[in-house]
């Protein structure tokens, strides 16, 4: 399991394995109450499970017991069907990538050396490590030629975090553990990194356990959410949809906070709603043609696309009237969202741009349409109507969804 006979590629990877914590308890010396008290929890293979709860409730301790950076005081830990409670800790950790805030990179090592660390320990050849490093940099959207020889201090916070994710994936482990991975970056970068994690997960299908104190992040990223209280007591373990629609108790309600309806926006992706069409013209077109097309369609703006169909300008009739042909310049302030972005993100982008609308791009940033506030309002209404109507499928052990096996310390 821990040796990799074939060269791993980003498209043919070891997919996730389920994890099971059985009656796991952690008592720190000198502490009256256990930090984690008898937790039973299954993390389904290939899914993202978010651990949320107030500070000090035991999230990090729970996470670190999964790769046994912290040894449980009692209880059992299974990976797939294998009992890994007492196998060698470092062997277990090679099968589980670990991502912490700000990437946790070694400052004196280059990006390539950081990423190649575990493969090197596993005895991969230099050529194979170099190939893997480049492949992973591509995966996290960093140009290998530009970044592989840089040092962490030469990177932005977001870039360091990307390298941290690349490093965790280096030896293609089936499991990824993340502890508040996006806590140290600004909101815009955080949103991008979240989108990127979801895109990467579509490709790699790992089992991901991610700690956050941000409920919105949990809703956005999680296939499942575990809401924890002190002692890592599982108060509710369910899908984001059902937690929002039917919080188990007042604790969960408070944790969700106000505006649960608005949080539905985080559950819907831009690609899931019907976009508005737009009049598009290529750069270099005569302005008169653009104005004619715009009037014929009854629109007030045209979207200017470059030679690869990426939006570069968004012009009103008045702006078009300023010159005879449309130039090739790129408007750096265009309100653009990816089709994988949540409606919440789209709304943010619209409000920041004050355009009341945003341009949507798909793969390779190709223009896909326009999303506006009205589109978002319609989606909120729809989401409200369908909330809670979903049924539990393959509920994990420890979940509180009703159809799963009985949860330990779960529910009321
Ligand atoms: P969270 O990640 O949810 O904020 P932690 O798992 O870090 O919570 O901590 C859970 C509880 O265990 C807290 O009360 C914390 O003070 C305590 N704790 C964490 N690490 C240690 C340690 N090494 N020694 C003693 N107590 C600890
Ligand atoms: Mg923590």
């Amino acid at each position: 399991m821990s040796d990799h006979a074939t060269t791993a590629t980003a498209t043919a990877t070891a997919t996730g394995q389920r994890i099971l914590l059985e009656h796991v308890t952690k008592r720190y010396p000198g502490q009256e109450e256990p930090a984690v008290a008898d937790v039973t929890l299954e993390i389904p293979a290939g899914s993202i499970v978010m651990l949320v709860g107030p500070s000090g409730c035991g999230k990090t301790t729970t996470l670190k017991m999964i790769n046994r950076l912290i040894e449980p005081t009692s209880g059992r830990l299974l990976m797939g069907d294998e009992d890994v409670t007492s196998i060698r800790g470092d062997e277990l950790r090679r099968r589980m990538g670990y991502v912490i805030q700000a990437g946790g990179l070694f400052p004196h090592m280059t990006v390539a050396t950081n990423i190649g660390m575990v493969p090197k320990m596993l005895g991969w050849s230099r050529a194979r490590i170099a190939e893997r490093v480049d492949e992973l940099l591509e995966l996290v959207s960093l140009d290998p030629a530009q970044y592989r020889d840089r040092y962490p201090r030469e990177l932005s916070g977001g870039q360091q975090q990307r390298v941290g994710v690349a490093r965790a994936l280096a030896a293609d482990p089936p499991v990824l553990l993340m502890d508040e991975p996006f806590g140290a970056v600004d909101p815009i970068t955080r949103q991008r990194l979240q989108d990127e994690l979801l895109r990467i997960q579509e490709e790699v299908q790992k089992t991901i356990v991610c700690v956050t104190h941000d409920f919105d992040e949990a809703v956005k990223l999680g296939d499942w959410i575990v809401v924890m209280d002190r002692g890592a007591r599982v108060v509710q373990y369910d899908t984001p949809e059902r937690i929002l629609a039917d919080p188990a108790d007042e604790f969960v309600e408070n944790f969700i906070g106000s505006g649960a309806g608005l949080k539905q926006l985080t559950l819907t992706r831009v690609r899931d709603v019907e976009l508005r069409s737009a009049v598009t013209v290529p750069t270099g077109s005569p302005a008169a043609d653009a104005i004619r097309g715009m009037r014929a369609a009854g629109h007030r703006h045209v979207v200017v696309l470059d030679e690869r169909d990426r939006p570069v300008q968004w012009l009103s009739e008045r702006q078009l009237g300023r010159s005879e042909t449309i130039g090739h310049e790129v408007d750096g302030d265009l309100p653009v969202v990816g089709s994988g972005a949540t409606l919440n993100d789209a709304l943010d982008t619209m409000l920041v741009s004050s355009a009341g609308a945003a341009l949507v791009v798909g793969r390779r940033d190709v223009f896909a349409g326009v999303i506006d506030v009205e589109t978002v309002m319609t989606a909120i209404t729809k989401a409200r109507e369908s909330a809670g109507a979903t049924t539990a499928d393959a509920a994990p052990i420890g979940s509180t969804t009703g159809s799963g096996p009985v949860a330990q310390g779960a529910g009321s």
Side-chain angles (χ1 to χ4, degrees):
M1 185 67 244
S2 65
D3 50 39
H4 297 253
T6 54
T7 302
T9 67
T11 45
T13 58
T15 48
Q17 276 188 342
R18 74 106 173 207
I19 295 165
L20 181 58
L21 302 174
E22 262 183 5
H23 300 288
V24 169
T25 293
K26 177 66 189 181
R27 285 178 186 280
Y28 288 110
Q31 299 266 344
E32 200 134 297
E33 299 286 317
V36 173
D38 192 19
V39 165
T40 292
L41 203 65
E42 179 184 21
I43 314 292
S47 59
I48 301 182
V49 173
M50 304 296 292
L51 308 184
V52 297
S55 175
C57 74
K59 303 181 295 294
T60 295
T61 303
T62 302
L63 191 78
K64 284 184 166 175
M65 285 196 288
I66 295 176
N67 68 3
R68 293 193 18 238
L69 275 172
I70 293 175
E71 292 288 354
T73 309
S74 60
R76 227 158 66 104
L77 180 64
L78 280 86
M79 192 174 175
D81 291 324
E82 182 191 355
D83 188 329
V84 293
T85 318
S86 39
I87 68 163
R88 278 181 46 181
D90 55 352
E91 202 223 307
L92 180 64
R93 285 188 282 280
R94 282 180 201 163
R95 297 196 232 161
M96 297 187 178
Y98 185 50
V99 184
I100 58 172
Q101 209 168 81
L105 303 177
F106 294 103
H108 57 288
M109 293 181 187
T110 64
V111 163
T113 315
N114 265 290
I115 296 175
M117 223 166 41
V118 175
K120 194 175 170 196
M121 284 193 287
L122 292 171
W124 292 22
S125 73
R126 280 170 66 171
R128 187 174 160 209
I129 294 173
E131 191 186 331
R132 180 68 176 151
V133 165
D134 284 6
E135 182 181 273
L136 285 159
L137 284 172
E138 297 269 8
L139 183 70
V140 299
S141 304
L142 292 173
D143 176 18
Q146 201 180 340
Y147 290 101
R148 67 166 87 85
D149 296 322
R150 291 206 188 171
Y151 285 89
R153 65 171 180 276
E154 300 171 300
L155 306 179
S156 70
Q159 289 167 339
Q160 289 183 31
Q161 198 60 63
R162 289 193 162 96
V163 175
V165 171
R167 184 176 64 175
L169 288 168
D172 198 21
V175 174
L176 210 55
L177 306 178
M178 311 181 91
D179 196 346
E180 311 232 6
F182 311 134
V185 295
D186 64 273
I188 301 279
T189 307
R190 185 177 314 139
Q191 177 192 318
R192 289 219 188 99
L193 291 171
Q194 290 167 342
D195 293 345
E196 205 155 291
L197 178 68
L198 290 171
R199 179 185 59 71
I200 291 171
Q201 171 67 351
E202 273 182 26
E203 233 172 277
V204 299
Q205 300 284 301
K206 301 298 181 189
T207 300
I208 300 178
V209 188
C210 180
V211 166
T212 182
H213 60 261
D214 176 354
F215 193 77
D216 289 329
E217 179 165 88
V219 170
K220 177 171 176 181
L221 296 180
D223 297 308
W224 298 87
I225 297 176
V226 184
V227 185
M228 292 179 154
D229 197 358
R230 290 188 64 82
R233 184 175 74 90
V234 177
V235 185
Q236 190 165 13
Y237 180 9
D238 213 327
T239 61
E241 289 83 352
R242 280 190 299 267
I243 289 180
L244 284 173
D246 190 13
D249 62 13
E250 210 171 313
F251 174 81
V252 179
E253 247 167 62
N254 287 336
F255 206 77
I256 292 172
S258 56
L262 279 178
K263 285 186 172 47
Q264 298 282 357
L265 285 176
T266 312
L267 286 169
T268 311
R269 307 268 152 197
V270 169
R271 71 166 80 88
D272 299 331
V273 303
E274 203 169 319
L275 301 178
R276 292 185 184 279
S277 62
V279 176
T280 63
V281 292
T283 51
S285 306
D289 286 1
I291 292 171
R292 211 174 304 122
M294 194 179 70
R295 284 183 181 157
H299 286 199
R300 301 226 298 267
H301 292 83
V302 294
V303 179
V304 182
L305 305 181
D306 71 5
E307 70 285 356
R308 288 161 70 179
D309 287 335
R310 296 173 300 197
V312 288
Q313 297 174 57
W314 199 7
L315 304 175
S316 64
E317 180 160 354
R318 197 155 55 91
Q319 289 169 308
L320 282 165
R322 285 180 193 152
S323 55
E324 293 218 334
T325 49
I326 299 170
H328 291 265
E329 59 273 11
V330 176
D331 178 355
D333 293 328
L334 277 186
V336 174
V337 291
S339 57
T342 66
L343 292 190
N344 204 13
D345 298 336
L347 205 53
D348 272 354
T349 306
M350 290 175 205
L351 295 178
V352 168
S353 82
S354 77
L359 303 175
V360 179
V361 294
R363 281 182 79 89
R364 296 179 207 291
D365 293 333
V366 167
F367 179 63
V370 171
I371 186 165
D372 61 12
V373 173
E374 206 172 291
T375 320
V376 174
M377 295 311 289
T378 311
I380 299 179
T381 314
K382 270 197 195 156
R384 277 223 191 92
E385 284 164 6
S386 66
T390 49
T391 52
D393 50 305
I397 298 170
S399 69
T400 45
T401 193
S403 66
V406 177
Q408 200 63 37
S412 43

